[in-house]
Coordinates of all heavy atoms in Angstrom, one line a residue:
M752 N 99.1 80.6 85.6 CA 99.0 80.0 87.0 C 100.4 79.8 87.6 O 100.6 79.8 88.7 CB 98.2 78.8 87.0 CG 96.6 79.1 87.0 SD 96.1 80.2 88.3 CE 94.4 80.5 87.8
D753 N 101.4 79.6 86.7 CA 102.7 79.3 87.2 C 103.3 80.5 87.9 O 104.2 80.4 88.9 CB 103.7 79.0 86.1 CG 103.4 77.6 85.5 OD1 102.6 76.9 86.2 OD2 103.9 77.3 84.4
D754 N 102.8 81.7 87.6 CA 103.3 82.9 88.3 C 103.0 82.8 89.8 O 103.7 83.3 90.6 CB 102.5 84.1 87.8 CG 103.1 84.4 86.3 OD1 104.0 83.9 86.0 OD2 102.5 85.3 85.7
I755 N 101.9 82.2 90.1 CA 101.5 82.1 91.5 C 102.5 81.2 92.3 O 102.8 81.5 93.4 CB 100.1 81.5 91.6 CG1 99.1 82.5 91.0 CG2 99.7 81.2 93.0 CD1 97.6 82.0 91.0
D756 N 103.0 80.2 91.6 CA 104.0 79.3 92.3 C 105.2 80.1 92.6 O 105.8 80.0 93.7 CB 104.3 78.1 91.4 CG 103.3 77.1 91.5 OD1 102.4 77.1 92.4 OD2 103.2 76.2 90.6
L757 N 105.7 80.8 91.6 CA 106.8 81.7 91.9 C 106.5 82.8 92.9 O 107.4 82.9 93.8 CB 107.3 82.3 90.6 CG 107.8 81.4 89.5 CD1 108.1 82.2 88.2 CD2 109.2 80.8 90.0
A758 N 105.4 83.4 92.9 CA 105.1 84.3 93.9 C 105.0 83.7 95.3 O 105.3 84.4 96.3 CB 103.7 85.0 93.6
A759 N 104.5 82.5 95.3 CA 104.4 81.8 96.7 C 105.7 81.7 97.4 O 105.7 81.9 98.6 CB 103.8 80.4 96.5
E760 N 106.8 81.5 96.7 CA 108.1 81.5 97.3 C 108.4 82.8 97.9 O 109.1 82.8 99.0 CB 109.1 81.0 96.3 CG 109.0 79.5 96.0 CD 110.1 79.1 95.1 OE1 111.3 79.6 95.3 OE2 109.9 78.2 94.3
R761 N 108.1 83.8 97.3 CA 108.4 85.1 97.8 C 107.6 85.5 98.9 O 108.0 86.1 99.9 CB 108.3 86.2 96.7 CG 109.2 86.0 95.5 CD 109.2 87.1 94.6 NE 110.2 86.9 93.5 CZ 110.6 87.7 92.7 NH1 110.1 89.0 92.7 NH2 111.5 87.5 91.8
I762 N 106.3 85.0 98.9 CA 105.4 85.2 99.9 C 105.8 84.6 101.2 O 105.7 85.1 102.3 CB 103.9 84.8 99.5 CG1 103.3 85.7 98.4 CG2 103.1 84.6 100.7 CD1 102.1 85.1 97.8
E763 N 106.4 83.4 101.0 CA 107.0 82.6 102.1 C 107.9 83.5 103.0 O 107.9 83.6 104.2 CB 107.7 81.4 101.7 CG 107.9 80.4 102.8 CD 106.6 79.6 103.1 OE1 105.8 79.5 102.3 OE2 106.6 79.4 104.4
V764 N 108.7 84.2 102.3 CA 109.7 85.2 102.9 C 109.1 86.3 103.6 O 109.5 86.7 104.6 CB 110.7 85.7 101.8 CG1 111.7 86.8 102.4 CG2 111.5 84.6 101.1
L765 N 108.0 86.8 103.0 CA 107.2 87.8 103.7 C 106.2 87.4 104.7 O 105.6 88.2 105.3 CB 106.5 88.6 102.5 CG 107.4 89.2 101.5 CD1 106.5 89.8 100.4 CD2 108.2 90.3 102.0
N766 N 106.2 86.1 105.0 CA 105.2 85.6 105.8 C 105.2 86.2 107.2 O 104.1 86.5 107.8 CB 105.4 84.0 106.1 CG 104.5 83.4 105.1 OD1 103.5 83.9 104.5 ND2 104.6 82.0 105.1
A767 N 106.4 86.5 107.7 CA 106.5 87.1 109.1 C 105.6 88.3 109.2 O 104.7 88.4 110.2 CB 107.9 87.5 109.4
S768 N 105.7 89.3 108.3 CA 104.8 90.5 108.4 C 103.5 90.2 107.9 O 102.4 90.7 108.4 CB 105.5 91.6 107.8 OG 105.8 91.3 106.5
A769 N 103.4 89.5 106.7 CA 102.1 89.3 106.0 C 101.1 88.6 106.9 O 100.0 88.9 107.0 CB 102.3 88.6 104.7
L770 N 101.6 87.5 107.5 CA 100.6 86.7 108.3 C 100.2 87.4 109.5 O 99.0 87.2 109.9 CB 101.3 85.3 108.7 CG 101.2 84.3 107.6 CD1 101.9 83.0 108.0 CD2 99.8 83.9 107.3
Q771 N 101.1 88.1 110.1 CA 100.7 88.9 111.3 C 99.6 89.9 111.0 O 98.7 90.1 111.7 CB 101.9 89.5 111.9 CG 102.7 88.6 112.8 CD 104.1 89.1 113.1 OE1 104.3 90.3 113.0 NE2 104.9 88.3 113.7
A772 N 99.8 90.5 109.8 CA 98.8 91.4 109.3 C 97.4 90.8 109.1 O 96.4 91.3 109.5 CB 99.3 92.1 108.0
V773 N 97.5 89.6 108.5 CA 96.3 88.8 108.2 C 95.6 88.4 109.5 O 94.4 88.5 109.6 CB 96.6 87.6 107.4 CG1 95.5 86.6 107.4 CG2 97.0 87.9 106.0
L774 N 96.4 88.1 110.4 CA 95.8 87.6 111.6 C 95.5 88.7 112.7 O 95.1 88.4 113.8 CB 96.8 86.5 112.3 CG 96.9 85.3 111.4 CD1 98.1 84.4 111.8 CD2 95.6 84.4 111.4
G775 N 95.8 89.8 112.2 CA 95.6 91.0 113.1 C 96.5 91.0 114.3 O 96.2 91.6 115.3
R776 N 97.7 90.4 114.1 CA 98.7 90.5 115.2 C 99.9 91.3 114.7 O 100.4 91.0 113.6 CB 99.1 89.1 115.6 CG 98.0 88.4 116.3 CD 98.4 87.0 116.6 NE 97.4 86.4 117.6 CZ 97.6 86.5 118.9 NH1 98.7 87.0 119.4 NH2 96.7 86.0 119.7
T777 N 100.3 92.2 115.4 CA 101.5 93.0 114.9 C 102.6 93.0 116.0 O 103.5 93.8 115.9 CB 101.0 94.4 114.8 OG1 100.5 94.9 116.0 CG2 100.1 94.6 113.6
E778 N 102.6 92.0 116.8 CA 103.7 91.9 117.7 C 105.0 91.6 117.0 O 105.0 91.0 116.0 CB 103.5 90.7 118.7 CG 102.4 90.9 119.7 CD 101.2 90.1 119.3 OE1 100.9 90.1 117.9 OE2 100.5 89.5 120.0
T779 N 106.1 92.1 117.7 CA 107.4 91.9 117.0 C 108.3 91.1 118.0 O 109.5 91.0 117.8 CB 108.0 93.2 116.6 OG1 108.0 94.0 117.7 CG2 107.3 93.9 115.5
V780 N 107.7 90.6 119.0 CA 108.5 89.7 119.9 C 108.7 88.3 119.2 O 107.7 87.8 118.6 CB 107.9 89.6 121.3 CG1 107.9 90.9 122.0 CG2 106.5 89.1 121.2
P781 N 109.7 87.7 119.5 CA 109.9 86.3 119.0 C 108.9 85.4 119.5 O 108.3 85.5 120.6 CB 111.3 85.9 119.5 CG 112.0 87.2 119.7 CD 111.0 88.2 120.2
S782 N 108.6 84.4 118.7 CA 107.5 83.5 118.9 C 107.8 82.7 120.2 O 109.0 82.4 120.6 CB 107.3 82.6 117.7 OG 106.5 81.5 118.1
T783 N 106.8 82.2 120.9 CA 107.0 81.3 122.1 C 107.2 79.9 121.6 O 107.5 79.1 122.4 CB 105.7 81.4 122.9 OG1 104.5 81.0 122.1 CG2 105.5 82.8 123.5
G784 N 106.9 79.7 120.3 CA 107.0 78.3 119.8 C 105.7 77.5 120.0 O 105.7 76.4 119.6
I785 N 104.7 78.2 120.4 CA 103.4 77.5 120.6 C 102.4 78.2 119.7 O 102.3 79.5 119.9 CB 103.0 77.6 122.1 CG1 103.9 76.9 123.0 CG2 101.6 76.9 122.2 CD1 104.0 75.4 122.8
C786 N 101.6 77.6 119.0 CA 100.6 78.2 118.1 C 99.6 78.9 118.9 O 99.0 78.3 119.8 CB 100.0 77.0 117.2 SG 98.7 77.8 116.2
A787 N 99.3 80.2 118.6 CA 98.3 80.9 119.2 C 96.9 80.5 118.9 O 96.0 80.9 119.7 CB 98.5 82.4 118.9
S788 N 96.7 79.7 117.9 CA 95.3 79.3 117.6 C 95.0 77.9 118.1 O 93.9 77.7 118.7 CB 95.2 79.2 116.0 OG 95.2 80.5 115.4
C789 N 95.9 77.0 118.0 CA 95.5 75.6 118.3 C 96.5 75.1 119.5 O 96.3 73.9 119.9 CB 95.6 74.7 117.1 SG 97.2 74.4 116.6
S790 N 97.4 75.9 120.0 CA 98.3 75.5 121.1 C 99.1 74.3 120.8 O 99.8 73.7 121.8 CB 97.4 75.2 122.3 OG 96.7 76.3 122.7
E791 N 99.3 73.9 119.5 CA 100.3 73.0 119.2 C 101.6 73.6 119.1 O 101.7 74.8 118.9 CB 99.9 72.3 117.8 CG 98.6 71.6 117.7 CD 98.7 70.2 118.5 OE1 99.9 69.7 118.6 OE2 97.8 69.8 119.0
S792 N 102.7 72.9 119.3 CA 104.0 73.4 119.1 C 104.3 73.8 117.6 O 103.9 73.0 116.7 CB 105.1 72.6 119.6 OG 105.0 71.3 119.2
I793 N 104.9 74.9 117.3 CA 105.3 75.3 116.0 C 106.6 74.7 115.5 O 107.5 74.5 116.3 CB 105.5 76.8 115.9 CG1 104.1 77.6 116.4 CG2 105.8 77.3 114.5 CD1 104.3 79.1 116.6
E794 N 106.5 74.1 114.3 CA 107.6 73.5 113.8 C 108.9 74.2 113.8 O 108.9 75.4 113.5 CB 107.4 73.1 112.3 CG 106.2 72.1 112.1 CD 104.9 72.9 112.0 OE1 104.9 74.1 112.3 OE2 103.8 72.2 111.8
Q795 N 110.0 73.5 114.2 CA 111.4 74.3 114.4 C 111.7 75.0 113.1 O 112.2 76.0 113.0 CB 112.4 73.3 114.8 CG 112.3 72.9 116.3 CD 112.5 74.1 117.2 OE1 113.3 75.1 117.0 NE2 111.6 74.4 118.1
E796 N 111.5 74.1 111.9 CA 111.8 74.7 110.6 C 111.1 76.1 110.4 O 111.7 76.9 109.9 CB 111.4 73.7 109.6 CG 112.7 73.0 108.9 CD 112.2 72.1 107.9 OE1 111.6 72.5 106.9 OE2 112.4 70.9 108.0
R797 N 109.9 76.1 110.8 CA 109.0 77.2 110.6 C 109.6 78.3 111.4 O 109.7 79.5 111.0 CB 107.7 76.9 111.0 CG 106.7 78.0 110.7 CD 105.3 77.5 110.9 NE 104.5 78.6 110.8 CZ 104.2 79.3 109.6 NH1 104.7 78.8 108.6 NH2 103.5 80.4 109.6
L798 N 110.0 78.1 112.6 CA 110.5 79.1 113.5 C 111.8 79.6 113.0 O 112.2 80.8 113.2 CB 110.7 78.6 114.9 CG 109.3 78.4 115.7 CD1 109.6 77.7 117.0 CD2 108.7 79.7 115.9
K799 N 112.6 78.8 112.4 CA 113.9 79.2 111.9 C 113.6 80.2 110.7 O 114.3 81.2 110.6 CB 114.7 77.9 111.3 CG 116.2 78.0 111.7 CD 116.8 76.9 111.2 CE 116.8 75.7 112.1 NZ 117.5 74.5 111.5
A800 N 112.7 79.9 109.9 CA 112.4 80.8 108.7 C 111.7 82.0 109.2 O 111.8 83.1 108.6 CB 111.4 80.0 107.8
N801 N 110.9 81.9 110.3 CA 110.1 83.1 110.8 C 110.1 82.9 112.3 O 109.1 82.4 112.8 CB 108.7 83.0 110.2 CG 107.9 84.2 110.8 OD1 108.3 85.1 111.4 ND2 106.6 84.0 110.6
P802 N 111.1 83.6 112.9 CA 111.2 83.6 114.3 C 110.0 84.2 115.0 O 109.8 84.1 116.3 CB 112.5 84.4 114.6 CG 113.1 84.5 113.4 CD 112.1 84.5 112.3
Y803 N 109.1 85.0 114.3 CA 108.0 85.7 114.9 C 106.8 84.9 114.7 O 105.6 85.3 115.0 CB 107.9 87.0 114.3 CG 109.1 87.9 114.5 CD1 109.9 88.2 113.4 CD2 109.4 88.3 115.8 CE1 111.1 89.0 113.6 CE2 110.5 89.1 116.0 CZ 111.4 89.3 114.9 OH 112.6 90.1 115.1
A804 N 106.8 83.7 114.1 CA 105.6 82.9 113.8 C 104.9 82.6 115.1 O 105.4 82.1 116.1 CB 106.1 81.6 113.2
K805 N 103.6 83.0 115.0 CA 102.7 82.8 116.2 C 101.7 81.6 115.9 O 101.0 81.3 116.8 CB 101.8 84.0 116.3 CG 102.6 85.3 116.9 CD 102.9 85.1 118.3 CE 103.3 86.4 118.9 NZ 104.5 86.9 118.4
H806 N 101.9 81.0 114.7 CA 100.9 79.9 114.5 C 101.6 78.8 113.8 O 102.7 79.0 113.0 CB 99.8 80.5 113.5 CG 99.0 81.5 114.2 ND1 99.3 82.9 114.1 CD2 97.8 81.5 114.8 CE1 98.5 83.6 114.8 NE2 97.5 82.8 115.2
C807 N 101.2 77.7 113.9 CA 101.7 76.4 113.4 C 101.5 76.5 111.9 O 100.7 77.3 111.4 CB 101.2 75.2 114.1 SG 99.4 74.9 113.6
R808 N 102.1 75.5 111.2 CA 102.0 75.4 109.7 C 100.5 75.4 109.3 O 100.1 76.0 108.4 CB 102.7 74.2 109.2 CG 102.6 73.9 107.8 CD 103.9 74.2 107.1 NE 103.8 74.4 105.7 CZ 104.4 75.2 105.0 NH1 105.4 76.0 105.6 NH2 104.2 75.5 103.8
D809 N 99.7 74.5 110.0 CA 98.3 74.3 109.6 C 97.5 75.6 109.7 O 96.8 76.0 108.8 CB 97.7 73.3 110.5 CG 98.1 71.9 110.1 OD1 98.8 71.7 108.9 OD2 97.8 70.9 110.8
C810 N 97.6 76.3 110.8 CA 96.9 77.4 111.0 C 97.4 78.6 110.1 O 96.6 79.4 109.5 CB 97.0 77.9 112.4 SG 96.2 76.8 113.6
A811 N 98.7 78.6 109.8 CA 99.3 79.7 109.0 C 98.8 79.4 107.5 O 98.5 80.3 106.8 CB 100.8 79.6 109.0
D812 N 98.8 78.1 107.1 CA 98.3 77.8 105.8 C 96.8 78.3 105.6 O 96.5 78.8 104.5 CB 98.4 76.3 105.5 CG 99.7 75.8 105.2 OD1 100.5 76.7 104.9 OD2 100.0 74.7 105.1
E813 N 96.0 78.1 106.6 CA 94.7 78.5 106.6 C 94.6 80.1 106.3 O 93.9 80.5 105.5 CB 94.0 78.1 107.9 CG 92.6 77.9 107.7 CD 92.0 77.3 108.9 OE1 92.4 76.2 109.3 OE2 91.0 77.9 109.5
A814 N 95.4 80.7 107.2 CA 95.4 82.2 107.0 C 95.9 82.6 105.7 O 95.4 83.6 105.0 CB 96.3 82.8 108.1
E815 N 96.9 81.9 105.2 CA 97.5 82.2 103.8 C 96.4 82.0 102.7 O 96.4 82.9 101.9 CB 98.7 81.3 103.6 CG 99.6 82.0 102.5 CD 100.8 81.1 102.5 OE1 101.4 80.7 103.5 OE2 101.3 81.0 101.3
A816 N 95.7 80.9 102.9 CA 94.7 80.6 101.8 C 93.7 81.7 101.8 O 93.1 82.2 100.8 CB 94.0 79.4 102.2
Q817 N 93.3 82.2 103.1 CA 92.3 83.3 103.2 C 92.9 84.5 102.6 O 92.1 85.3 101.9 CB 91.9 83.5 104.6 CG 90.9 82.4 105.1 CD 90.6 82.6 106.6 OE1 90.9 83.5 107.2 NE2 90.0 81.5 107.2
A818 N 94.1 84.8 102.8 CA 94.8 86.0 102.2 C 94.7 86.0 100.8 O 94.5 87.0 100.1 CB 96.2 86.1 102.8
K819 N 95.0 84.8 100.2 CA 95.0 84.6 98.7 C 93.7 84.9 98.2 O 93.4 85.6 97.2 CB 95.5 83.3 98.3 CG 97.0 83.1 98.2 CD 97.4 81.8 97.8 CE 98.9 81.6 98.0 NZ 99.3 80.2 97.9
M820 N 92.7 84.4 98.9 CA 91.3 84.6 98.4 C 90.9 86.1 98.5 O 90.3 86.6 97.6 CB 90.3 83.9 99.4 CG 90.3 82.4 99.2 SD 89.2 81.9 97.9 CE 87.9 81.3 98.9
A821 N 91.3 86.7 99.6 CA 91.0 88.1 99.7 C 91.7 88.9 98.6 O 91.1 90.0 98.1 CB 91.5 88.7 101.2
R822 N 92.9 88.6 98.3 CA 93.7 89.3 97.3 C 92.9 89.1 95.9 O 92.9 90.0 95.1 CB 95.0 88.8 97.1 CG 96.0 90.0 97.4 CD 97.5 89.4 97.5 NE 97.7 88.8 98.8 CZ 98.5 87.7 98.9 NH1 99.1 87.2 97.9 NH2 98.8 87.2 100.1
R823 N 92.4 88.0 95.6 CA 91.7 87.6 94.4 C 90.4 88.4 94.3 O 90.0 89.0 93.4 CB 91.4 86.1 94.2 CG 92.6 85.4 93.6 CD 92.1 84.0 93.2 NE 93.3 83.3 92.6 CZ 93.0 82.2 92.0 NH1 91.9 81.8 91.8 NH2 94.1 81.6 91.5
C824 N 89.6 88.2 95.4 CA 88.2 88.7 95.4 C 88.2 90.1 95.8 O 87.0 90.8 95.7 CB 87.3 87.7 96.2 SG 87.6 86.1 95.7
G825 N 89.2 90.5 96.5 CA 89.1 91.9 97.2 C 88.4 91.7 98.5 O 87.6 90.8 98.7
P826 N 88.6 92.7 99.4 CA 88.0 92.6 100.7 C 86.4 92.8 100.6 O 86.1 93.8 99.8 CB 88.6 93.7 101.6 CG 89.2 94.7 100.5 CD 89.5 93.8 99.3
R827 N 85.7 92.1 101.4 CA 84.3 92.3 101.3 C 83.7 92.4 102.8 O 84.1 91.5 103.5 CB 83.5 91.2 100.6 CG 83.9 91.1 99.1 CD 82.8 90.7 98.3 NE 82.9 91.0 96.9 CZ 82.1 91.0 96.0 NH1 80.8 90.7 96.3 NH2 82.3 91.3 94.7
Ligands
ZN1060 ZN1 97.9 76.0 115.0

């Protein structure tokens, strides 16, 4: 299970493309700074790490959790 922790750090780097794929969004324009799901402002730290972030931390975490599930169980 420790492997997953290490992998998570790498996934963080890939979030820009991975999350957009998960959320069905492929835009490459920089983020507006407003979450597309809940209209909350996206954390500055998050935008610094991922200028294309379309979702706040909460919504992105949710999408990431779903992506992890999908990877484990496979698409159904
Ligand atoms: Zn949100």
Side-chain angles (χ1 to χ4, degrees):
M752 283 304 172
D753 287 345
D754 286 352
I755 292 177
D756 283 341
L757 290 173
E760 287 187 34
R761 296 189 179 193
I762 289 169
E763 195 72 33
V764 176
L765 297 172
N766 262 351
S768 54
L770 277 176
Q771 278 169 13
V773 166
L774 297 167
R776 290 179 166 266
T777 54
E778 293 101 316
T779 52
V780 291
S782 173
T783 56
I785 302 295
C786 175
S788 291
C789 68
S790 297
E791 297 286 334
S792 46
I793 298 169
E794 295 83 355
Q795 282 303 313
E796 252 182 60
R797 184 171 173 69
L798 286 174
K799 222 182 270 179
N801 174 13
Y803 304 107
K805 289 283 196 299
H806 298 86
C807 68
R808 177 113 202 141
D809 284 349
C810 294
D812 278 353
E813 209 170 300
E815 199 175 323
Q817 281 175 16
K819 274 183 189 162
M820 288 274 260
R822 241 175 279 145
R823 272 194 184 195
C824 307
R827 293 216 164 194

